[in-house]
Amino acid sequence: MSSMNISLPATLKSFVDQQVRSRGYSSSSEHVRELIRRDQVRQRLRGLLLEGAASPPSVTADAHDFGQRRDRVRDAGRR
């Protein structure tokens, strides 16, 4: 694993230290890694949303379609 050094103002370092203590991280590096992973997921989701928004509409969903989807989700939750 490669390493990276970052500089933080005292207020941010205190915040990170507090997060490590209160949220059960083993180190500040673990906390920062999780934040980076979350940012990667957020960016992927944003890309997918933008891609979907830019795509042409396909099928119009109506109340019946949403009812079927809701039933599938309920059924999956019961398993």
Side-chain angles (χ1 to χ4, degrees), residues 5-18:
N5 294 320
I6 61 169
S7 298
L8 298 174
T11 56
L12 289 179
K13 183 179 182 318
S14 295
F15 177 78
V16 170
D17 291 342
Q18 187 271 333

Side-chain angles (χ1 to χ4, degrees), residues 16-74:
V16 170
D17 291 342
Q18 187 271 333
Q19 293 298 299
V20 169
R21 285 190 306 274
S22 67
R23 297 181 65 194
Y25 295 106
S26 62
S27 66
S28 57
S29 292
E30 183 183 359
H31 178 58
V32 171
R33 282 192 296 271
E34 181 178 331
L35 293 175
I36 293 169
R37 285 186 203 106
R38 286 182 184 184
D39 195 38
Q40 287 176 322
V41 169
R42 184 190 59 78
Q43 287 184 23
R44 279 194 300 268
L45 177 58
R46 187 176 196 285
L48 290 171
L49 290 171
L50 290 172
E51 181 183 323
S55 68
S58 55
V59 178
T60 303
D62 59 15
H64 177 72
D65 295 318
F66 283 107
Q68 287 180 325
R69 292 168 203 260
R70 193 173 23 255
D71 292 343
R72 282 197 302 255
V73 168
R74 284 186 188 132

